[in-house]
Amino acid sequence: MVKKYKCGFDICGLLLFIIIMLPNFVWFAVPAPNDILRCESVTGTIDVIASICQLLMISALCLVVNQQRRKLKFTPLIIAVSVSCLLYSVSWIFYYTGTANSLVILGLTVFPCLAFLLFAIDRENYIVVIPASIFALCHFVYAIVNFII
């Protein structure tokens, strides 16, 4: 299984990362009204694990390539990735219009994780799935504990 992977560069993985991060860059620069996301986190250890897994996930998504993957095309998984990105953007729009309810927080949490996981599965980059799954779980716990409960 390891032999079918090589170090390389997946521009589509980088583009997905940039698409997901764009609203975050805006948020870093321009606070939203009712900006509850800037509060102190109570899940410090989980946040550290999430950050490490996020770094591993993005690194593997961009720098590990399955040599046997098929050419990128509009598959049901890629369509689901696109829909996840769209719903993530819609969640940010709601957040910036002052809506910071549980549904919006879950949208900001679940959809980017889903986009990364589905993209990795479509690209047959199963090395990404483990850190992406751990990141998704930690990100979900962070959101639930800090903003929903």
Side-chain angles (χ1 to χ4, degrees), residues 103-119:
L103 192 59
V104 170
I105 297 300
L106 286 174
L108 294 173
T109 303
V110 172
F111 293 125
C113 296
L114 194 57
F116 288 126
L117 278 166
L118 294 174
F119 182 79

Side-chain angles (χ1 to χ4, degrees), residues 3-147:
K3 290 184 179 183
K4 65 181 178 178
Y5 292 99
K6 69 173 184 169
C7 288
F9 183 69
D10 188 342
I11 188 73
C12 294
L14 178 62
L15 288 174
L16 177 61
F17 175 68
I18 291 169
I19 288 167
I20 294 294
M21 287 307 295
L22 276 174
N24 291 279
F25 294 141
V26 171
W27 175 77
F28 287 133
V30 181
N34 191 22
D35 199 355
I36 65 170
L37 295 178
R38 294 191 189 268
C39 75
E40 181 94 17
S41 175
V42 298
T43 54
T45 303
I46 290 171
D47 300 347
V48 170
I49 295 167
S51 294
I52 292 167
C53 287
Q54 182 180 33
L55 179 62
L56 293 171
M57 171 185 72
I58 297 307
S59 298
L61 196 68
C62 296
L63 301 175
V64 176
V65 177
N66 182 336
Q67 298 178 85
Q68 299 171 357
R69 70 183 180 180
R70 63 191 174 286
K71 188 174 178 171
L72 185 65
K73 58 184 176 181
F74 280 105
T75 63
L77 285 172
I78 292 299
I79 292 168
V81 169
S82 301
V83 169
S84 294
C85 289
L86 177 65
L87 292 172
Y88 179 61
S89 297
V90 168
S91 298
W92 272 111
I93 291 168
F94 275 104
Y95 187 75
Y96 264 89
T97 59
T99 305
N101 61 29
S102 298
L103 192 59
V104 170
I105 297 300
L106 286 174
L108 294 173
T109 303
V110 172
F111 293 125
C113 296
L114 194 57
F116 288 126
L117 278 166
L118 294 174
F119 182 79
I121 292 167
D122 181 78
R123 304 313 304 142
E124 299 177 42
N125 188 344
Y126 300 112
I127 293 172
V128 174
V129 173
I130 292 170
S133 297
I134 296 169
F135 170 73
L137 178 64
C138 291
H139 202 44
F140 186 73
V141 168
Y142 162 81
I144 297 293
V145 171
N146 284 286
F147 306 111

